[in-house]
Amino acid sequence: MAVQLDGAAAAMDQAAARTGTSGTPGRSGTPPGGRDRRRRRATPYLLLLPALLATAVFLGWPMVRNLLLSFQNLNMKELIQHLTEWRGTGNYQEILGSEQFWRVTLRTIVFTAVNVVLIMVLGVLIGLLLARLGKKMRLTLSVALVLAWAMPVIAATTVFQWLFDSRYGVVNWVLDRLGWHSMANYDWVGTQLSTFFVITVLIVWHSLPFVALNLYAATTTIPRELYEAARMDGAGTWRVFTSVTFPFLRPFFLATTFLEVIWVFKAFPQIFAINEGGPDRLTETLPIYAFTEGVGNLHFGMGAAISLLTIVVLLAMTAYYLRLTLRHEDQEEDAL
C-alpha cells in the first residue's frame, strides 16, 4: 500500500513538472498564486486605461483629423459645399518650397532660444535669492510670483498693451519723465524689434515664477553639510553654485529647460494679441503662421499642413536637446 502511495505521489510530481505548476490547482487549473500575480501585473495598466482613452479621444483623434485635412484642398468653397478634394502632398510641397516658411521657422527658433535663456538665467537668480531671504521677505516675494504666474495669459497681455501704449502707456510716460523725450509717443508695435521686445518681456515675466519657485523648492533638498564643506574650503558664491548647487540640481535644470522650450515655442496668445504677428507679418512664429494661413486666409488644408510641420520642427529641436543631454551625461559617467 505504501509503495502504491509513493508511486501516485511520484506521478503527480511528474505531471506538475510537465505542466509547469505545483501545488493544488484551482477549479480552472490555474494556481491561486498565479492568478494573484497576473492581477497585480494588470492593475497598473487598468489604472492607466482611463488616461490613455482620454488622450486617444481628445488628442489622438484631432491629430488624425488634422493629418487627413493636410492632404486636402479645403477652402471656403469646399467647406460650404461639403466637398472633399484630395491634393496629396501638394500642401507640403508648396509650404516647403516657400521662402516664407523657412524665414518663419528660423525666426521661431531664435525667438525660442532667446526667451528660454532669459527665463532660465533670471529664474535661477530669483530662485537663489529666495533661498537666501528671510521668512517674511521670502513669503512676500513668493506671493508676488504666484500672483504673476496665476494671471491669465490674455489678461496679462492686455495689461502689457496698456503699459506700452504709444499715447497713454506708463512706459512712455516714465521714459519721457526721465529725459528720454523722443519716447513720449513711441509706437512699441510699429517695428519688428520693438514688438518682439514687448512680447519677450511679457513671456519672460509670465514664465519666471515657475522656474524660480521650482528652483527654490529644489534647493531645499540639498544637504546643508555640502554648503558648509564648500565654504570651509574657501569657495565663493559662484564656486558654490557650480560645485554644489548645479551638479545636485542638474535633473531639474534639464527638465525645466525642456519644458520651457516647448512652452515658448508654441506661444500663441501673447504674440497674436499684441499685434497679430505684425507689423507686416514680421513677428509671426510658426503657430501664428499656421493660424493666419489656415483661418485668416481660409486655406484650412494649408494651415493643417503647417501645424503638423510645426510639430515636426518642435520634435526635432527637443530630440536634438535630449541627444546633447544624454551625450553629456555619458561623458560624465565615463570620466567617473
Side-chain angles (χ1 to χ4, degrees):
M1 185 64 179
V3 175
Q4 292 178 353
L5 292 176
D6 292 340
M12 292 179 61
D13 292 339
Q14 292 177 0
R18 287 196 300 269
T19 57
T21 59
S22 60
T24 303
R27 294 181 179 179
S28 61
T30 304
R35 287 197 300 271
D36 293 339
R37 283 194 297 270
R38 284 202 296 270
R39 190 179 297 111
R40 286 196 297 269
R41 292 173 182 174
T43 299
Y45 300 99
L46 293 176
L47 294 175
L48 287 174
L49 186 60
L52 294 176
L53 290 176
T55 302
V57 172
F58 295 107
L59 182 61
W61 177 241
M63 286 288 294
V64 172
R65 290 288 298 172
N66 198 48
L67 177 63
L68 295 176
L69 185 61
S70 67
F71 294 108
Q72 299 177 20
N73 182 28
L74 182 60
N75 298 325
M76 183 56 68
K77 173 185 174 182
E78 289 79 12
L79 185 64
I80 294 175
Q81 297 181 358
H82 300 282
L83 298 177
T84 302
E85 182 180 336
W86 295 97
R87 197 183 178 191
T89 59
N91 290 331
Y92 292 98
Q93 293 175 0
E94 183 175 346
I95 294 169
L96 296 176
S98 171
E99 185 179 353
Q100 174 73 3
F101 171 77
W102 297 109
R103 282 200 302 265
V104 173
T105 301
L106 179 60
R107 184 187 304 148
T108 306
I109 294 174
V110 174
F111 172 77
T112 301
V114 171
N115 278 269
V116 170
V117 170
L118 290 175
I119 291 169
M120 292 304 300
V121 172
L122 296 177
V124 168
L125 293 177
I126 296 176
L128 295 177
L129 177 63
L130 283 172
R132 289 176 172 269
L133 291 176
K135 291 184 178 180
K136 293 183 179 180
M137 289 300 299
R138 183 187 304 133
L139 178 61
T140 303
L141 182 56
S142 298
V143 170
L145 290 173
V146 170
L147 291 177
W149 191 21
M151 181 175 290
V153 175
I154 296 299
T157 305
T158 303
V159 171
F160 270 75
Q161 285 177 320
W162 292 342
L163 291 175
F164 288 92
D165 184 74
S166 59
R167 297 184 60 185
Y168 306 106
V170 176
V171 174
N172 286 355
W173 181 82
V174 171
L175 293 176
D176 181 43
R177 289 288 182 174
L178 292 177
W180 203 344
H181 302 297
S182 61
M183 302 296 293
N185 295 308
Y186 183 75
D187 185 9
W188 287 94
V189 295
T191 64
Q192 181 186 32
L193 290 179
S194 60
T195 305
F196 266 132
F197 173 79
V198 176
I199 296 171
T200 299
V201 172
L202 170 60
I203 291 179
V204 171
W205 172 83
H206 213 182
S207 302
L208 281 178
F210 174 78
V211 178
L213 293 174
N214 278 279
L215 177 69
Y216 166 68
T219 57
T220 59
T221 64
I222 302 177
R224 294 300 170 189
E225 293 79 5
L226 298 178
Y227 288 113
E228 295 174 0
R231 296 295 184 186
M232 292 179 62
D233 291 340
T237 303
W238 175 250
R239 185 65 178 174
V240 169
F241 175 77
T242 56
S243 301
V244 179
T245 305
F246 185 78
F248 200 89
L249 300 182
R250 185 183 300 276
F252 161 80
F253 288 108
L254 297 178
T256 306
T257 303
F258 180 75
L259 291 175
E260 290 298 334
V261 168
I262 296 175
W263 288 339
V264 174
F265 188 90
K266 66 182 183 65
F268 177 85
Q270 300 95 327
I271 303 174
F272 189 81
I274 287 291
N275 201 17
E276 298 183 4
D280 300 326
R281 304 185 65 174
L282 292 176
T283 58
E284 280 186 350
T285 57
L286 282 174
I288 303 296
Y289 181 46
F291 179 83
T292 302
E293 290 295 330
V295 179
N297 296 335
L298 302 179
H299 298 158
F300 301 104
M302 191 75 67
I306 296 174
S307 65
L308 288 174
L309 289 175
T310 300
I311 296 175
V312 172
V313 174
L314 180 59
L315 290 176
M317 290 177 56
T318 54
Y320 179 73
Y321 171 75
L322 292 176
R323 182 180 179 184
L324 292 179
T325 301
L326 295 175
R327 182 185 301 174
H328 184 70
E329 292 180 352
D330 292 339
Q331 291 176 353
E332 288 187 344
E333 291 178 358
D334 294 339
L336 294 176

